[in-house]
Amino acid sequence: MFNAFAREADRLVPTDILATAGAAPSILWADIVRPGAAEARTASALLGVDIPTLQEMEEIELSARLYEEDGALFMTVSLVTGAEGDEPRLTPVTFILGRSSLVTVRHDDALSFDQLRGRRLRGTGRESAHYLLIDLLDTTVDQVADALERSSLRCDAISREVFGAKTGKRPAAGDPSRDLEAMLGAIGRQGDLLTKLRESLVGMARLLSYYSARHPDAGRDARTRVRTLQRDVQALTDHASFLSSKINFLLDATLGLINLEQNQIIKIFTVASVAFLPPTLIASIYGMNFELMPELRWSLGYPASIGLMLVSAALPFLYFRRRGWL
């Protein structure tokens, strides 16, 4: 899918890229979404740049993600999509910055692109390829910040559920209102999201450094905004690292609670087996049926043996309770 825009005064105007074969330089921004092989060849011919394939965009080597070719900068970064749901994804996005145009190639939907396109169509912002690139990165960083804020709130909610801060006391082991398996799932999802966000932030930091090195002659406003973005990316990276540490702490705490519950169950079985040992011994003695056992002809033998077994079971139980083992 092609989304092409031309410059008109201080705003973007949608244009039909297929009808501008002879005026490709007038296109300010071409947003190419999920291009097939035929579409990539068409876009390359119309825009005069080589559109990378998805396989090329997914390469992790720095030289394959940040390079210059025919006077255009090719900068690929992995962005997080679907961060609002339970299945966040990392998708590569390539920014191709030419002398007078910006081409973006992506294979997934991105909210930041839609938001910027809406603002630009309303005529807000300075229209140039460099400012479009900076605005796209700025909007993307804002999306990452929002995702980190939501993740922080979810981590706080998990922490309250694990440690019982909401009620002022720690929930008892085996409390049916606390689903530790569900907590593990929630912690795992947040850990996965934070890993993807950190990877995206690292990629954006490299992209900004590469852009600054390749365009030291950019305008003062552009340089200031790039430096601000670099500081924001570094701050968000530090915050993501803090949240990752918190997630690891919550994971250890939850696993510890699971171990405590398992130990509690084992302790109950152990106490029960120990408490029933004396009654079992008594029942075994009077179940031998030897001929010369004097209690066999005693009229109170049966109730006496039952009472003795109950007392022998109650004494260990009371002892365990007094020692605080139950």
Side-chain angles (χ1 to χ4, degrees), residues 49 102-103 125 181 200 251 270 325:
V49 294
L102 174 67
V103 179
E181 184 177 354
S200 179
L251 177 61
T270 302
W325 296 347

Side-chain angles (χ1 to χ4, degrees), residues 45-308:
L46 293 174
L47 300 171
V49 294
D50 185 19
I51 304 299
T53 63
L54 178 59
Q55 184 178 2
E56 292 172 341
M57 294 168 62
E58 290 177 338
E59 292 182 0
I60 63 175
E61 297 91 343
L62 192 60
S63 60
R65 290 195 157 216
L66 304 171
Y67 62 93
E68 185 174 359
E69 185 177 286
D70 296 331
L73 294 184
F74 287 73
M75 299 171 288
T76 301
V77 63
S78 296
L79 301 184
V80 179
T81 60
E84 301 82 3
D86 293 333
E87 296 183 359
R89 304 175 301 278
L90 271 178
T91 179
V93 177
T94 298
F95 301 90
I96 306 174
L97 182 63
R99 295 179 179 86
S100 59
S101 63
L102 174 67
V103 179
T104 54
V105 184
R106 53 194 175 99
H107 291 265
D108 204 342
D109 297 327
L111 183 59
S112 57
F113 283 69
D114 298 334
Q115 290 180 345
L116 181 65
R117 183 168 61 245
R119 291 202 305 266
R120 282 293 192 261
L121 291 176
R122 292 191 299 269
T124 58
R126 300 175 61 177
E127 300 309 336
S128 72
H130 289 272
Y131 281 103
L132 273 175
L133 172 64
I134 294 173
D135 284 346
L136 273 174
L137 295 176
D138 192 5
T139 307
T140 302
V141 170
D142 288 342
Q143 293 294 324
V144 173
D146 292 340
L148 285 175
E149 184 178 358
R150 289 192 298 269
S151 180
S152 179
L153 294 176
R154 290 172 183 170
C155 288
D156 290 340
I158 295 172
S159 179
R160 289 192 297 269
E161 192 172 358
V162 171
F163 299 107
K166 184 176 181 181
T167 59
K169 61 181 180 180
R170 185 178 67 83
D175 186 354
S177 65
R178 184 177 59 173
D179 190 347
L180 295 178
E181 184 177 354
M183 290 184 195
L184 282 179
I187 291 172
R189 286 190 294 272
Q190 292 307 307
D192 179 59
L193 173 61
L194 289 172
T195 299
K196 290 179 170 59
L197 290 174
R198 290 179 66 187
E199 183 176 344
S200 179
L201 288 169
V202 169
M204 282 190 281
R206 291 174 177 174
L207 186 152
L208 289 168
S209 298
Y210 180 79
Y211 172 79
S212 299
R214 290 293 179 175
H215 285 280
D217 56 343
R220 180 178 180 181
D221 184 42
R223 293 197 306 270
T224 301
R225 291 191 62 189
V226 169
R227 286 196 297 268
T228 301
L229 278 176
Q230 288 176 317
R231 289 194 295 268
D232 290 344
V233 168
Q234 182 59 49
L236 291 176
T237 302
D238 294 339
H239 187 54
S241 299
F242 164 74
L243 290 178
S244 296
S245 301
K246 186 174 183 178
I247 281 292
N248 290 330
F249 169 71
L250 290 175
L251 177 61
D252 293 339
T254 305
L255 292 176
L257 290 175
I258 292 175
N259 289 331
L260 285 176
E261 289 198 353
Q262 291 176 343
N263 292 337
Q264 182 71 14
I265 294 172
I266 296 301
K267 183 172 68 174
I268 292 174
F269 281 108
T270 302
V271 169
S273 61
V274 171
F276 281 103
L277 278 177
T280 303
L281 176 63
I282 295 172
S284 300
I285 291 175
Y286 289 107
M288 291 186 292
N289 296 324
F290 286 116
E291 183 178 355
L292 297 179
M293 292 180 66
E295 292 88 349
L296 291 179
R297 298 183 180 275
W298 185 28
S299 61
L300 298 178
Y302 178 74
S305 61
I306 294 296
L308 184 60

